[in-house]
Amino acid sequence: MKYRNNQRSIFLRFGLISGLILTLPALLAAQSEEGAATEEIVTLTPFEVTADEDRGYASLYTLGATRINTSLDKVAVSVLVANKELIDDLSAINFNEVAEWFSGIHKTSTPGVNQMIMRGQALSSSATMTFRDGIKAGQRASYHIDPFVLERLEIIKGPAGVLFGTHVIGGLINQVWKAPHGENRTSIGFKSSSYDTYGGYIDTNRVWGSDNQFRSRILTSYKDGHTRHGGIDYEFSLTPMFTYIIDESTNTSLTFRYHFDDYHFAEARGIWFHDVDKVLPFGVIPNDVPMSNNADPEVGRQSELHDFELNFKHSFNMFGTLWHGRIVGRWRDHAHQFRIYLTVNHALADSQGNVLLNEAGEERLFHTNATFAQYNQMKAAGDDVDIIVYPNAIARTRQENYDQGVMAVDLNTEFDLGPTRHRLFTYFNWATLRHHTFNRRHDWDAEKQSIFSIRPRNPAEVLSNYRADNARNPSKALIEDFAWAIQDSISFFEDRVLAVAGVRYDYGTGSTNRADGTTTGSESNSAWTTKFGFVAKPWEGVSIFYNKSETFIPQSGENQLGVPFDNQWGLQDEVGVKLFLWDNRLTATWSWFNIDFTNQRVGRDFLHPTEGFISITTQEGTAVTDGWEADIIIEPINGLNFMIGLTDIDSGRVDANTGEIKKQRGVPTGFQYSIFGKYTFQGGPLKGFYAGLGLKDITDNRPGDFSDSYRVPGYELWKLIAGYRRGAWRVNFMINNLMDDEYIVTSVARFLMTPGENRAYGLTVDYTF
């Protein structure tokens, strides 16, 4: 890693960004011949979102922020949209590679599973993968969705329980999938990327019938290659969709969608370490060294997904007003397996491979500060000291099978009551899940190996015995949820002021049966969540908003004293400004927020009358996050587009014993930014050619573990794109991690750090006819 004066770097780049913003009026004045901005009238179906009004990377409408199509200036929440042009330009393999270019979002955890940090909270795949077209796709998430099936991504910041129910506190991502449309068009594409990875795709849409009432769209994609350590990187997906327009005058239609995805991803976890002086000795495990995992062809994540959806839409008159409704039924069958090998301990050894001993004559394990200090001293003295993998390790194999169903009924209408205009929305959700899990753990009696030269081998050949915790496996779970919600958006003074209020009721039951005969549940859980917000438009193109929202994470079971656990709650206050200026050449969202996440589980020591001090799990934990974020999209002149994301947050958890606020593991705090710009030639011999450059900055001093015993340095990532888009052809070339920097994406412990990607290349070529 290149160490740098981070403060100076921040101010220099912030100065460049500020200069760009300050010179914007002059640049726009040069374009005055294009005329003043006018408000365009568009007609949109309430449960579909269109890209027709997008301008470059700027989008004006959202589906996920309200579950119905709404212009962003009327939404009392911070919501960001990645449209198809941005997704295509970034040539993303996973959609977290798109989301990270917006403010306050960072990749985390194992590569390939779309886990992220948003507003100081870790988003599991359940928050990033389960919401599709404004409705939960299932109780449990898929671990991967090919971005090829996406029309856009909508990032909803903070708690949104009224719209989406239980989810991670920091926010969620709504996937808007491609759908059949009204013209005949076919795209054929080819992709190639680093590590001998190749693939292709076909997207074909057909319209037929006397009134073009039949529409079909079939998406097919294929990829086969390797990860950076030589593991498998394979995916095949097939998504046929069919729509029948029953009555165009009443927006009545029926759509069927089937999605099949076969995915196998094998990526080794880095065994990087962080020493006591907060120095990362890069090169100990270079990114291109094959890890022992990859000698096992079954390592990594494998999943097979079958997803069925039937969607009925209809508009009708009731109570003297026009209502729009949809009924969506989804059924998903998902089989998932992953296998990983984790080393338990590491030790210091001399140049002859002899393990060093401590004062008690025991092998000096490499997990204490004293050992880190000894390693540094010996290296500084020129000793050829090494670190070896200790023999005992764990092999873990997890198999999961899900059968899950979702039924959603949505209704919305608009009506006038004289001084006010209302947009009323109500919905009902029902979901069920049958979950079968088989989790096996073995001891792996591996030979001692230097981590400078780990040799590929198949650990499955040396698995010795089941561990004791296998006794509870397999397990079977049955979960059923019901939800009802209503929300009203009230407009005053010809849409100059809007107020939003909503409430939702959730009820769920669940039980888990294990192989050892123990049962969790059957338990029921219920909760009410509320939302309130308003939007004021003092000037054309300027919206001021306030949002107070909450969500919850249901809890089950009880602690060691028999006290039942309460639900965990997240509550957010947010105020902000949105700009849509100069014919939408400038769109921006700035918001300040505060989030409290309560009832976190923590361990405390209590004095038992007969057993002395015992550890009891309590719910005294609270996580707090506050700060501000800004996202700016600018097109100062035709063909020149900028995306800028600015973040300054502080995030921590309250220590139950001391009341002190401690930093949360892996969460970058302080000022950070990202900027991505692209220029497309508008005329002459280079017309249609474009080039773009982006920079993502992550601040220093991320806590590396839950006890905050060490910190992880920040990093800068550069991305380059270049291509040609004109007529039927599109060619896009990209380079990730342009400077080939070494960095850590996330850290769990000193010897469990996930390294970032090497410099990687990608090429996409497609033809549309």
Side-chain angles (χ1 to χ4, degrees):
M1 166 173 288
K2 296 183 303 180
Y3 290 94
R4 65 192 191 282
N5 186 324
N6 192 54
Q7 187 177 23
R8 182 182 179 187
S9 174
I10 288 173
F11 281 106
L12 283 174
R13 291 182 173 85
F14 187 71
L16 292 175
I17 294 169
S18 301
L20 176 63
I21 297 173
L22 293 173
T23 57
L24 179 63
L27 291 170
L28 290 173
Q31 301 294 316
S32 59
E33 67 274 10
E34 294 184 30
T38 58
E39 184 175 355
E40 298 183 56
I41 300 175
V42 297
T43 302
L44 301 171
T45 59
F47 301 111
E48 298 176 358
V49 65
T50 181
D52 294 342
E53 298 303 308
D54 292 351
R55 179 160 196 154
Y57 295 150
S59 298
L60 305 182
Y61 291 87
T62 175
L63 178 66
T66 59
R67 287 179 63 119
I68 52 179
N69 189 32
T70 306
S71 59
L72 287 171
D73 63 339
K74 297 181 180 180
V75 176
V77 67
S78 180
V79 56
L80 310 172
V81 179
N83 58 25
K84 190 174 184 300
E85 181 173 344
L86 178 62
I87 295 173
D88 287 345
D89 284 351
L90 294 176
S91 295
I93 298 174
N94 301 302
F95 62 61
N96 58 11
E97 297 176 7
V98 177
E100 69 176 345
W101 290 100
F102 293 96
S103 65
I105 301 177
H106 317 287
K107 288 189 291 189
T108 183
S109 193
T110 306
V113 296
N114 288 299
Q115 292 181 330
M116 288 174 268
I117 291 174
M118 186 187 300
R119 287 198 166 172
Q121 303 291 331
L123 272 65
S124 66
S125 54
S126 294
T128 61
M129 304 290 287
T130 57
F131 301 100
R132 187 174 77 211
D133 299 328
I135 297 174
K136 181 174 283 191
Q139 294 279 46
R140 294 293 177 92
S142 304
Y143 287 91
H144 180 76
I145 292 293
D146 187 346
F148 170 63
V149 305
L150 301 175
E151 190 69 34
R152 61 214 287 135
L153 286 177
E154 300 180 331
I155 301 162
I156 295 96
K157 298 286 191 75
V162 170
L163 294 175
F164 296 98
T166 173
H167 64 85
V168 178
I169 306 303
L172 59 91
I173 294 180
N174 178 51
Q175 309 167 36
V176 179
W177 280 33
K178 295 176 179 176
H181 52 77
E183 63 181 34
N184 292 321
R185 187 171 64 198
T186 297
S187 295
I188 300 176
F190 166 80
K191 284 187 174 184
S192 175
S193 58
S194 297
Y195 317 119
D196 299 321
T197 300
Y198 303 92
Y201 54 85
I202 300 175
D203 176 357
T204 181
N205 190 94
R206 307 299 296 174
V207 179
W208 71 93
S210 57
D211 296 318
N212 291 334
Q213 72 268 37
F214 293 101
R215 301 176 180 179
S216 69
R217 190 169 186 176
I218 300 176
L219 310 174
T220 307
S221 67
Y222 173 81
K223 176 182 66 174
D224 194 5
H226 300 89
T227 62
R228 58 185 170 180
H229 294 298
I232 295 172
D233 187 5
Y234 167 86
E235 182 169 23
F236 172 75
S237 70
L238 173 65
T239 311
M241 299 166 280
F242 304 94
T243 295
Y244 173 49
I245 309 296
I246 300 173
D247 188 343
E248 194 167 10
S249 65
T250 59
N251 295 317
T252 306
S253 65
L254 184 67
T255 298
F256 170 79
R257 175 192 281 139
Y258 166 70
H259 177 66
F260 169 77
D261 189 88
D262 183 13
Y263 179 62
H264 188 176
F265 182 86
E267 177 64 291
R269 190 146 200 159
I271 311 178
W272 273 354
F273 66 88
H274 194 305
D275 66 27
V276 71
D277 293 328
K278 301 180 180 180
V279 175
L280 286 167
F282 290 105
V284 171
I285 292 291
N287 285 350
D288 58 355
V289 172
M291 305 294 287
S292 57
N293 297 26
N294 299 312
D296 182 354
E298 300 303 318
V299 77
R301 299 177 181 271
Q302 301 179 66
S303 71
E304 184 175 303
L305 173 68
H306 300 268
D307 190 289
F308 302 85
E309 176 184 305
L310 195 61
N311 189 330
F312 176 73
K313 299 175 185 176
H314 178 58
S315 299
F316 56 94
N317 286 298
M318 183 173 65
F319 309 127
T321 187
L322 180 64
W323 290 76
H324 307 281
R326 68 173 170 177
I327 302 174
V328 179
R330 290 174 177 159
W331 180 260
R332 169 180 292 183
D333 179 83
H334 183 204
H336 174 253
Q337 171 180 303
F338 73 85
R339 180 182 292 172
I340 56 175
Y341 300 99
L342 297 176
T343 55
V344 176
N345 288 312
H346 309 76
L348 286 182
D350 61 22
S351 57
Q352 285 75 42
N354 301 311
V355 177
L356 302 179
L357 303 180
N358 60 20
E359 292 77 5
E362 301 167 336
E363 293 185 341
R364 187 177 288 281
L365 300 182
F366 197 73
H367 61 238
T368 65
N369 284 347
T371 313
F372 291 127
Q374 183 179 1
Y375 171 81
N376 282 341
Q377 292 168 5
M378 296 178 71
K379 292 294 285 186
D383 293 342
D384 189 12
V385 64
D386 197 356
I387 305 168
I388 67 166
V389 176
Y390 204 64
N392 190 9
I394 297 174
R396 180 185 178 194
T397 300
R398 184 180 180 93
Q399 294 175 319
E400 299 176 297
N401 292 90
Y402 304 102
D403 291 321
Q404 45 191 327
V406 174
M407 176 68 72
V409 180
D410 294 349
L411 287 172
N412 77 89
T413 187
E414 295 188 40
F415 56 90
D416 283 309
L417 292 179
T420 62
R421 180 171 180 82
H422 297 255
R423 194 178 194 190
L424 186 67
F425 177 65
T426 185
Y427 69 88
F428 158 85
N429 272 8
W430 170 84
T432 184
L433 167 71
R434 289 186 302 171
H435 177 204
H436 180 219
T437 302
F438 187 23
N439 190 13
R440 299 188 300 271
R441 295 174 187 255
H442 293 79
D443 284 327
W444 168 29
D445 291 332
E447 71 213 38
K448 295 180 181 179
Q449 299 184 63
S450 166
I451 69 170
F452 290 92
S453 58
I454 289 181
R455 296 177 296 282
R457 61 171 305 174
N458 191 343
E461 298 173 356
V462 290
L463 297 182
S464 58
N465 64 286
Y466 276 117
R467 295 176 61 84
D469 54 4
N470 288 308
R472 307 183 73 193
N473 288 289
S475 65
K476 296 181 180 179
L478 178 62
I479 300 172
E480 189 170 12
D481 285 344
F482 164 85
W484 171 80
I486 187 169
Q487 176 177 296
D488 191 13
S489 178
I490 309 169
S491 170
F492 304 87
F493 310 117
E494 298 181 346
D495 280 353
R496 299 296 295 272
V497 177
L498 296 96
V500 179
V503 62
R504 168 170 166 149
Y505 175 73
D506 282 88
Y507 175 83
T509 62
S511 62
T512 301
N513 299 313
R514 296 187 172 88
D516 62 357
T518 60
T519 300
T520 301
S522 174
E523 297 184 0
S524 61
N525 198 321
S526 61
W528 289 90
T529 50
T530 58
K531 170 186 176 181
F532 170 75
F534 74 85
V535 178
K537 299 181 179 180
W539 306 282
E540 185 66 30
V542 179
S543 296
I544 301 171
F545 71 92
Y546 169 75
N547 170 43
K548 190 179 190 68
S549 59
E550 59 184 349
T551 195
F552 73 102
I553 300 176
Q555 303 294 296
S556 62
E558 57 189 29
N559 69 9
Q560 295 88 336
L561 297 178
V563 179
F565 291 119
D566 294 326
N567 290 333
Q568 295 176 343
W569 283 90
L571 179 64
Q572 173 179 262
D573 283 286
E574 179 181 25
V575 62
V577 178
K578 298 180 183 182
L579 303 178
F580 304 88
L581 300 175
W582 299 297
D583 196 21
N584 299 313
R585 288 183 177 273
L586 169 64
T587 63
T589 298
W590 174 91
S591 67
W592 175 90
F593 61 90
N594 173 268
I595 299 176
D596 288 334
F597 180 20
T598 61
N599 290 340
Q600 290 188 306
R601 299 188 186 187
V602 296
R604 295 196 67 179
D605 292 332
F606 285 85
L607 181 61
H608 193 275
T610 59
E611 300 180 19
F613 280 96
I614 61 173
S615 180
I616 300 296
T617 301
T618 69
Q619 286 190 292
E620 301 172 78
T622 300
V624 292
T625 304
D626 58 64
W628 62 268
E629 296 173 344
D631 288 271
I632 307 163
I633 299 179
I634 311 172
E635 187 182 6
I637 59 175
N638 289 341
L640 181 61
N641 291 273
F642 287 99
M643 282 183 55
I644 302 171
L646 308 173
T647 304
D648 192 350
I649 69 169
D650 189 19
S651 180
R653 56 181 176 82
V654 179
D655 186 281
N657 295 307
T658 65
E660 177 187 1
I661 296 181
K662 293 186 175 182
K663 301 299 182 182
Q664 299 186 82
R665 176 180 66 83
V667 178
T669 57
F671 180 76
Q672 300 151 82
Y673 62 91
S674 63
I675 181 168
F676 187 86
K678 181 186 76 168
Y679 179 70
T680 303
F681 289 91
Q682 301 295 294
L686 295 179
K687 183 178 181 180
F689 285 92
Y690 62 86
L693 186 65
L695 170 63
K696 174 77 173 180
D697 176 89
I698 299 296
T699 188
D700 279 329
N701 272 345
R702 291 174 291 155
D705 60 2
F706 286 109
S707 61
D708 195 10
S709 64
Y710 66 96
R711 296 296 180 94
V712 179
Y715 57 88
E716 292 181 340
L717 284 183
W718 291 85
K719 184 183 184 80
L720 174 71
I721 68 169
Y724 174 78
R725 189 196 306 263
R726 187 175 180 185
W729 288 96
R730 181 178 73 95
V731 179
N732 190 78
F733 175 74
M734 69 87 184
I735 305 177
N736 281 328
N737 192 3
L738 180 65
M739 304 304 177
D740 203 21
D741 283 339
E742 294 176 306
Y743 64 100
I744 286 178
V745 176
T746 190
S747 172
V748 177
R750 294 183 190 270
F751 261 99
L752 280 177
M753 297 184 181
T754 302
E757 293 284 355
N758 297 103
R759 181 189 294 127
Y761 306 87
L763 175 68
T764 302
V765 180
D766 65 34
Y767 178 74
T768 302
F769 58 93

